Amino acid sequence: MTDIAIIGGGPAGLSAAIYAASLGAKVTLVDDGLELGGQLIKQTHKFFGSEKQFAGIRGIEIAKKMIQDIKEYDNLEVIANATVTGYYEDEVITIVQGVNGDILKKLKAKRIIVATGASENILPFVNNDLPGVYAAGAVQTLMNLYGVVPGNNILMVGAGNIGLIVSYQLLQAGIKVEAIVEALPRIGGYLVHASKIRRLGVPIYTSHTLKEAYGTDCVEKAVISEINQNFEFIPGTEKELEVDTICLAVGLSPLSDLLWQAGCQMKYVPELCGHVALRDDNMKTTKDKIYIAGDVAGIEEASSAMLEGQIAGLNAAISLGYKCDNYQEQDRKLKEELKELRDNPLSEEIRRGVEKALIKEGWD
Amino acid sequence: MRIKKHPILEFNQKEKIKFTLDGKELEGYKGEPIASALIAAGIKVLSRSIKYKRPRGFFCAIGKCSACLMKVNGVPNIRTCVTKLEEGMKVEIQKGKGDFN
Ligand code: FES
């Protein structure tokens, strides 16, 4: 029996765990990765965002600090390398653990915070199942966590922030990026990142996408093509690129299976990149005992995930009767900070999405 | 291939260990995922699709896509992207849905 079970040990889950544990709640954090920290442990770039959420610090450093922090609480237990497979009405979650998945555990928790993150999208193109087609996060894992060269010549698909940042990280590791293609007529990510990459000689083709990949047992060639406003290929504009690796940075989808299974009310919100659970401003879903935080609540970024985690951690603990010196003030501060973080023109979609997924007071 | 020089990161891989892929001896670092050691050794095909036998490689690295399922120490369908490499591991490309023989 635990007070709060937190599912997922990325930035949102770690923040929630630390906050709830600091108020005295008994916390159990379950994570399915080889290491704690989620995507944060691969981020070599410095964070933008608010000062209190570690602006100017590299993701890997933030992760290290949080992983260090959780060790300080005797009331915080970590179940690592384990997958939560289900939620049952009497507040029991089932956990599968072990290399062969042969250990089955049951855990009863008074509150559950789902911080499972996201999974990467695939793109339809000919031969998209060839080895050498990697998701951007996988490329980061290989090179930033384990020091492995993912390939020699890379085609990056997607010029959002992830595509740009991973391209830059590839260049830092001494790997050649042949080109970046972006289906939209403009670059989606921050222009600072884009110009850094351009200066290093990597062309960014907007209104272009990947049409085909070739190779016998792995990628040997890629064909890109220009597309019109309706995203249709323009014949005669194809270009062949000699690449051995295609890196897909074409978006993420919330990993919300557990919330569906638990019976939370879900809604498709395109601005948040998929189906998300409806939630109130405490991050509580339509199920009284289930909270959400981070990418599973809508694809955003690590800084907002950490704030959502703190809000969920705080409110879940308070709902169990744990005390916090001037709770009102703390709660207001966190929500204010999250609002500020989203208060810029680039976050307009996020704001719209959050609005759609929000349960207002008096809702029933 | 391994990254030799990096402006920001240091990889603290100390302990080199040996393992086999379909009987062939390879080297990797203790504690890294099996899949990462294979890719570093230049191996990209980790499995074959069940029906058409198309090659499958590493894709998501977070245990979510099933492209990296292999037979490890006789047990089929191990997600090699989230399983740590250990000394003397016997890794095999499995056939079809995998079996225990
Ligand atoms: S690479 Fe996707 S499950 Fe291992």
Side-chain angles (χ1 to χ4, degrees), chain B residues 57-69 79-82:
Chain B
F58 189 71
F59 177 73
C60 73
I62 51 170
K64 301 279 188 287
C65 76
S66 305
C68 69
L69 299 185
R79 294 174 302 171
T80 54
C81 67
V82 287

Side-chain angles (χ1 to χ4, degrees), chain A residues 107-152:
Chain A
L107 177 69
K108 205 169 158 69
K110 294 180 193 150
R111 297 288 182 274
I112 290 165
I113 300 176
V114 177
T116 43
S119 66
E120 291 189 78
N121 297 339
I122 179 89
L123 187 75
F125 59 88
V126 179
N127 289 328
N128 68 358
D129 60 342
L130 272 180
V133 177
Y134 300 141
V139 164
Q140 285 191 313
T141 305
L142 281 180
M143 68 178 175
N144 294 349
L145 221 44
Y146 301 110
V148 171
V149 176
N152 297 315

Side-chain angles (χ1 to χ4, degrees), chain A residues 32-35 39 42 44 58 60 81 83 99-100 118-122 127 129-135 137-139 141-152 169 172-173 175 216-219 244-245 248 255, chain B residues 1-11 13 29 31-37 39-41 43-49 54-64 72 75 77-84 86 89:
Chain A
D32 72 349
L34 267 187
E35 334 247 344
Q39 297 300 305
K42 311 166 190 173
T44 49
R58 299 186 200 281
I60 32 172
N81 227 277
T83 308
V99 177
N100 312 330
S119 66
E120 291 189 78
N121 297 339
I122 179 89
N127 289 328
D129 60 342
L130 272 180
V133 177
Y134 300 141
V139 164
T141 305
L142 281 180
M143 68 178 175
N144 294 349
L145 221 44
Y146 301 110
V148 171
V149 176
N152 297 315
Q169 292 174 354
Q172 272 184 322
I175 299 162
T216 334
D217 262 350
C218 52
V219 175
D244 63 359
T245 304
L248 299 181
L255 266 174
Chain B
M1 256 203 311
R2 303 271 172 182
I3 297 171
K4 300 209 180 64
K5 241 182 31 224
H6 198 286
I8 299 167
L9 297 169
E10 253 178 70
F11 305 105
Q13 293 153 325
Y29 288 101
E32 70 176 338
I34 300 170
S36 122
I39 291 171
I43 286 142
K44 283 196 165 180
V45 182
L46 306 182
S47 67
R48 293 268 163 187
S49 70
R54 287 174 65 85
R56 290 277 184 272
F58 189 71
F59 177 73
C60 73
I62 51 170
K64 301 279 188 287
V72 177
V75 183
N77 300 317
I78 297 293
R79 294 174 302 171
T80 54
C81 67
V82 287
T83 303
K84 285 187 182 174
E86 285 164 21
M89 257 181 172

Side-chain angles (χ1 to χ4, degrees), chain B residues 2 17 22 26-27 45 68 71 84 87 90 94:
Chain B
R2 303 271 172 182
I17 55 176
D22 290 333
L26 296 172
E27 268 182 353
V45 182
C68 69
K71 195 168 180 176
K84 285 187 182 174
E87 173 78 53
K90 261 182 72 191
Q94 70 182 38

